[in-house]
Amino acid sequence: MRFWRLAVLMAALVTWCGTSAHAETTLRIGLAEDPDILDPSIGRTYVGRIVFSAFCDKLFDIDEKLNIVPQLALSYENSADGKEMTIKLRPGVKFHDGEPFDAEAAKFSLERHLTLPTSFRKPELAALDHVDVVDPLTIKLVLKTPYSPLIAQLTDRAGMMVSPKAVKEAGDKFGLHPVCAGPYKFVERVQQDRMVFEKFGDYWNKDNVFIDRIVFLPIVDATVRLANLKSGGLDLIERVLATDIKDVRADKRLVLSTAPELGYLGLTINVGNDKSKGPLSQSEKVRQALDLSIDREALNQVVFNGEFTPGNQWVSPTHPYYQKAFPVRGRDIAKAKALLKEAGVTLPVAIDYMVPKGAENEAVAQVVQSMAAEAGFDIKIRVVEFATTFKQAQAGEFQVFQINWSGRIDPDGNSYVFLHTKAPQNDGGYSNAEADKLMEDARLINDPAQRKAIYEKMTRIVLKVGGQAVLGRQICLATPWLT
C-alpha cells in the first residue's frame, strides 16, 4: 500500500494553532478534488470524507492505531446471538440547528442511511432490520442476521448523525446545507471554489476545538496546491505528488505527515454495464492479458518515486486479511499476447479508459497505456473532472475507470460495496453468485481466521474472473479490479 500522504503542514502553523487563544483563527486546507454532495448518506468521495470530519460526528471513531473509540456514542454491547447491538449515546449533544441529539435522532439517521433511495450506505447497513428506542439516550439495533462489520461501519459515514428537523425541511436539498453535530457548522459552499465552516459554540467537545474557521479549497493541480502552501496561501494540503516529497522534506517551513493507507488505487473494469460489449468486458482472457501487461513495481517507481507498495487485492499486502496464496504476479507480455490470441480478438484491442483529472492520476494512466500497448491494447485515455467520473461510472459510461479508494478498517468495506451483485458502488456490474454468498457468509462470522478462510475462496474467484484490478496505494492490478 502507499503512504497515505494526508497532509503537509506548515511548521509555523503548529505553534500558531496552539497559542492563538483570542485572535480569530482560520485554517485553509487545499484539497486535491472538489467533493461530491455533502450528505453522509449519499457522499462517496475520499475528499468528501475529509470535509465530513470537520462537521459530521459519528457514533464511533477510530484512533491512530485503528482502535474503535466512542464519539457520539459512549459504549455498545452485542447480544449473545450477535443479532442485537445496544448503544448508549452521549448526553448533552446538539445539532448545529440547536436540536438535541438523542435516541430518536440516532434512529432517524440510521434508518435514513438504510432507506433513502439514493443512499450508498445501504450495503453497509444491509443486515439492519430496525432500530428500537430503549430510552432517550439508548438505542438497540436489531439485525436480520449477525453482522461482524457493523461496528466498523459505524466509524464511517454510516455512523454519521444528521438533524431530523433539517432533513425534513430540506428534503433532497439537504446536502446543499447540511446540519450535523460536529465541531464546525456549515456556512457556505461555492462549487469548485470553497467550502466554509465555523466553530460550533455548543459542540459537546468544544474545549478541544482551537480554530475558529475552516476553509476547504479544491485545487486539482498538485503543483499549484503545493505552491500555494509554500507561499502562505494555504496552511495545510492533503496529498503531495510522490515526486515532490523530497522537496517537501528539504523545506524547513513544512512538515510532512504520512501514514499507511487502508485503501488502494485501482482500475474498475466494466464487465456488466459495457454498452459497447467490447472484448475487455466479454472475455476473461482479455482481462487477464491486461493484468499481465502491467508491471506494478515499475509503475510505482516511475510515477510514485517508489513510495507505494504494489498490491493485487482490496487490502494491502501488509493487511491481516491479505491472501498470501495469491501474490502479485509479475509482468508477462508473452503470456498476455498468447491470451489475446486464444481469445480470438482483433488487435489492437481498443479500451476507453476514464481517469479523474490530476497530474498523478493522468501519469498512472499514461504508464498503463504504454505498458498495455506492448501486449496489443490501444488504450484511449479520457480525462474527466473528478465528481463527474462518479456520475459517468454509475451510468456505465466507461470500460476502465481508474479510481482511488480510501479504504475501511474491515475488509468487508473494501470488497462488498464494489463486488456484490448490484451493490451501490458496483459500477462495473460485476456479478458472481458464489462470490456473493462468500461475502455474505463473511459478514456472519466474528472469528478472524474463519473470515480469512472465506475471503481466500472469494479472492480466488474474483482474481480469476476479472472486473476490478488494484494498482495500489497499494498499487493494485488484479482483475475484477486492476488493484
Side-chain angles (χ1 to χ4, degrees):
M1 92 188 147
R2 86 172 177 186
F3 284 108
W4 192 14
R5 290 157 304 167
L6 262 185
V8 177
L9 182 63
M10 289 192 72
L13 182 64
V14 177
T15 303
W16 166 64
C17 288
T19 60
S20 248
H22 303 293
E24 182 170 311
T25 53
T26 298
L27 180 65
R28 299 158 299 176
I29 302 176
L31 301 177
E33 297 102 10
D34 194 33
D36 56 351
I37 191 164
L38 297 181
D39 181 331
S41 292
I42 305 172
R44 60 174 291 188
T45 61
Y46 166 63
V47 283
R49 293 173 81 214
I50 295 174
V51 177
F52 279 127
S53 68
F55 78 97
C56 222
D57 275 7
K58 303 156 289 189
L59 290 174
F60 299 93
D61 202 358
I62 55 175
D63 65 17
E64 66 277 6
K65 295 182 179 179
L66 302 186
N67 297 309
I68 294 173
V69 296
Q71 195 168 57
L72 291 179
L74 290 178
S75 63
Y76 73 98
E77 183 177 349
N78 288 318
S79 62
D81 63 2
K83 295 180 69 174
E84 293 181 352
M85 177 184 285
T86 301
I87 301 175
K88 295 287 186 181
L89 303 176
R90 186 179 297 278
V93 176
K94 290 183 180 180
F95 289 107
H96 299 147
D97 58 1
E99 292 292 301
F101 167 71
D102 55 16
E104 290 290 350
K107 172 182 169 71
F108 176 89
S109 293
L110 290 167
E111 291 182 345
R112 180 175 185 264
H113 288 322
L114 188 62
T115 61
L116 188 70
T118 53
S119 174
F120 286 111
R121 311 285 79 83
K122 289 180 182 179
E124 300 166 8
L125 298 173
L128 180 60
D129 184 75
H130 64 276
V131 181
D132 288 336
V133 172
V134 178
D135 61 45
L137 288 174
T138 308
I139 56 173
K140 181 185 291 183
L141 279 56
V142 181
L143 310 181
K144 303 169 190 173
T145 62
Y147 180 47
S148 55
L150 179 57
I151 186 65
Q153 300 289 16
L154 296 178
T155 68
D156 208 278
R157 282 171 289 204
M160 291 181 185
M161 301 288 101
V162 297
S163 165
K165 179 183 177 182
V167 169
K168 292 170 184 175
E169 290 177 351
D172 61 2
K173 301 294 193 296
F174 175 77
L176 300 179
H177 200 291
V179 179
C180 292
Y184 296 89
K185 62 182 180 180
F186 178 84
V187 176
E188 68 168 343
R189 179 179 188 179
V190 178
Q191 208 78 25
Q192 302 295 330
D193 183 72
R194 66 185 181 275
M195 287 154 285
V196 181
F197 297 84
E198 62 183 27
K199 184 166 65 175
F200 178 47
D202 288 330
Y203 181 53
W204 64 270
N205 196 22
K206 63 182 179 182
D207 290 343
N208 289 313
V209 179
F210 305 106
I211 296 172
D212 298 302
R213 194 174 181 86
I214 295 181
V215 181
F216 293 97
L217 299 155
I219 302 175
V220 176
D221 190 311
T223 301
V224 174
R225 199 163 60 249
L226 181 56
N228 271 269
L229 181 69
K230 289 183 174 183
S231 68
L234 294 171
D235 305 303
L236 177 72
I237 66 175
E238 59 91 16
R239 270 176 288 175
V240 181
L241 292 179
T243 50
D244 287 333
I245 289 179
K246 183 178 179 180
D247 177 48
V248 169
R249 285 177 174 148
D251 193 328
K252 294 182 179 180
R253 300 171 302 162
L254 306 179
V255 174
L256 177 69
S257 176
T258 65
E261 185 160 22
L262 295 170
Y264 55 79
L265 166 63
L267 307 182
T268 295
I269 298 173
N270 192 344
V271 293
N273 299 323
D274 180 17
K275 298 177 178 62
S276 67
K277 302 296 181 185
L280 191 66
S281 66
Q282 303 303 300
S283 172
E284 174 189 328
K285 291 181 177 179
V286 174
R287 294 192 291 275
Q288 292 287 348
L290 178 60
D291 183 17
L292 287 167
S293 74
I294 299 172
D295 185 331
R296 291 167 173 77
E297 182 52 41
L299 180 59
N300 177 32
Q301 295 298 329
V302 171
V303 180
F304 303 113
N305 218 30
E307 296 282 350
F308 288 17
T309 300
N312 65 331
Q313 297 169 30
W314 36 90
V315 294
S316 81
T318 60
H319 194 283
Y321 278 88
Y322 183 80
Q323 303 297 331
K324 294 181 180 179
F326 307 101
V328 177
R329 295 190 295 183
R331 190 183 193 219
D332 192 334
I333 290 295
K335 188 172 181 180
K337 288 181 176 179
L339 284 169
L340 291 179
K341 186 175 182 179
E342 290 174 22
V345 295
T346 301
L347 299 181
V349 177
I351 296 177
D352 169 55
Y353 185 120
M354 180 170 66
V355 57
K357 184 176 177 60
E360 204 165 66
N361 290 332
E362 294 170 48
V364 170
Q366 290 161 5
V367 172
V368 171
Q369 179 188 53
S370 177
M371 289 178 172
E374 294 181 37
F377 291 96
D378 178 20
I379 291 181
K380 302 181 185 302
I381 298 172
R382 180 162 54 90
V383 179
V384 180
E385 186 274 325
F386 175 69
T388 305
T389 62
F390 290 98
K391 296 177 183 177
Q392 294 193 12
Q394 283 184 270
E397 297 172 2
F398 71 99
Q399 290 180 314
V400 172
F401 173 29
Q402 183 178 304
I403 181 173
N404 287 302
W405 176 244
S406 52
R408 302 292 182 269
I409 59 174
D410 189 282
D412 177 87
N414 282 5
S415 54
Y416 191 105
V417 71
F418 293 109
L419 294 170
H420 196 278
T421 300
K422 295 184 179 179
Q425 295 189 59
N426 185 352
D427 299 322
Y430 176 77
S431 180
N432 183 288
E434 188 177 357
D436 284 352
K437 178 64 165 54
L438 290 167
M439 283 183 273
E440 292 159 8
D441 289 346
R443 289 182 155 192
L444 303 176
I445 298 170
N446 286 315
D447 182 74
Q450 293 182 48
R451 290 187 81 201
K452 188 170 182 178
I454 292 172
Y455 280 118
E456 180 177 358
K457 295 176 182 178
M458 188 197 75
T459 302
R460 179 179 289 107
I461 295 168
V462 172
L463 296 191
K464 179 178 183 297
V465 175
Q468 201 164 19
V470 180
L471 291 169
R473 254 187 308 246
Q474 284 193 129
I475 297 193
C476 302
L477 264 179
T479 44
W481 289 305
L482 282 176
T483 43

